[in-house]
Amino acid sequence: MSPSSVDGHTEEALSSAAAVAWHHHARLAGWPMQWPLTVHDRRGCADTDDVFAACLEHLAQATNDGKVRPLITVFAPRTDRTHRIWNSHLVRYGCWEGRDGDLLGDPLNLELTGAIEALGWRPRGGPGRFVPLPLVIEPPRGRPRLYEVPRELILEVPITHPEYDWFARLGLRWPAVSPVSGMVLRAGHSRYAAVFNGWHAGHELSGRSFVEFNRYNLLLRIARGLMVESDDDARWIDRVATELARAVDHSYRTAGITVSDHTALPYPLPPPTHPTPAFTHQPSPWR
């Protein structure tokens, strides 16, 4: 039985729903520049191996040797009888807590890292600041399964600065593309599990991932490198954010990786002119 005969949507209808939903989603950066959106219909995946294979296919085609391709992979409608991916993204870095309470890695993924290690996984070479986590795919019945994403499929960008050589010594890097694996595409009455990516917006890294307190928390460290006084005048934060944004943009463009800066984004986005399917980020439960 074909997927379209199960849930009523042909591949053409599914592609149309995904394109319209993406176009009107306020948090998905770069929609005018990235058109069209490629849609992979994988509603027929039968087991965790099939889901993992679809995820690898998505990552490889989205990365596209750095010329990032907007892509959505659509799985069967979400129910308690469908597979679930624990990870919020196909590529995310783990986090470990030391005996002194210091965190190594991306604190956003501390709890997920612990849950994955409880399944028996250990990082090759030990914990680190930028260690990609394996995917965990849970079938409707049975134990969750671990899948290592081949390192050759994870294209990473070392973060350097066009003016300050010491920036490279911070040892920062980030994936060229990190598809979101906890998406839901609503089309009609169906809620499809989906993996989606656009391209990175530079300000996501410079304003969030590298500087937020519950992420890599590098504001003060970069401020010291810039010899900026972190006093009560909050303008020092603007200086750090500006130089970090320059570094991210420089690094991605030097590496030939598609990236968008905040000045290129259509903000504020125009409101929808007619009812559209909803495309929302709903991380899969993994506990």
Side-chain angles (χ1 to χ4, degrees), residues 177-215:
V177 63
S178 184
V180 183
S181 47
M183 300 297 286
V184 172
L185 171 64
R186 290 195 300 193
H189 296 291
S190 297
R191 295 166 52 87
Y192 296 103
V195 174
F196 169 85
N197 72 275
W199 57 35
H200 281 307
H203 69 280
E204 292 176 344
L205 306 186
S206 60
R208 299 187 63 183
S209 302
F210 287 142
V211 299
E212 286 185 341
F213 182 75
N214 63 340
R215 301 298 299 279

Side-chain angles (χ1 to χ4, degrees), residues 36-61:
L37 174 67
T38 300
V39 179
H40 286 178
D41 183 358
R42 299 295 179 265
R43 289 174 288 175
C45 287
D47 54 31
T48 57
D49 289 344
D50 287 346
V51 173
F52 180 61
C55 289
L56 293 188
E57 178 188 33
H58 182 118
L59 184 60
Q61 293 197 19

Side-chain angles (χ1 to χ4, degrees), residues 119-168:
L119 295 177
W121 176 79
R122 294 295 182 272
R124 298 173 185 175
R129 296 169 70 205
F130 298 98
V131 177
L133 292 170
L135 294 181
V136 181
I137 305 175
E138 184 175 0
R141 296 179 180 82
R143 289 177 51 81
R145 294 191 59 185
L146 288 168
Y147 291 92
E148 290 272 7
V149 178
R151 287 305 296 260
E152 61 268 21
L153 288 184
I154 303 175
L155 180 60
E156 293 178 297
V157 181
I159 305 300
T160 61
H161 194 283
E163 184 178 349
Y164 302 113
D165 293 339
W166 55 264
F167 233 92

Side-chain angles (χ1 to χ4, degrees), residues 3 12 18 31 55 70-71 89 132 183 215 226 239 245 249 260 285:
E12 182 179 2
W31 56 263
C55 289
L71 179 63
H89 295 69
M183 300 297 286
R215 301 298 299 279
L226 294 169
R239 172 74 192 285
D249 186 72
S260 174

Side-chain angles (χ1 to χ4, degrees), residues 94-98 102-105 110 113 117 121 123 126-128 131 133:
C95 183
W96 292 265
E97 184 173 3
D102 288 344
L103 299 179
L104 180 65
L110 177 63
T113 303
E117 288 195 324
W121 176 79
V131 177
L133 292 170

Side-chain angles (χ1 to χ4, degrees), residues 41-92:
D41 183 358
R42 299 295 179 265
R43 289 174 288 175
C45 287
D47 54 31
T48 57
D49 289 344
D50 287 346
V51 173
F52 180 61
C55 289
L56 293 188
E57 178 188 33
H58 182 118
L59 184 60
Q61 293 197 19
T63 302
N64 194 32
D65 293 325
K67 307 302 180 186
V68 177
R69 176 184 294 131
L71 179 63
I72 181 171
T73 297
V74 181
F75 297 100
R78 288 184 65 168
T79 68
D80 58 2
R81 297 186 299 277
T82 54
H83 300 83
R84 292 182 180 270
I85 301 173
W86 285 13
N87 313 60
S88 64
H89 295 69
L90 296 188
V91 183
R92 267 295 186 257

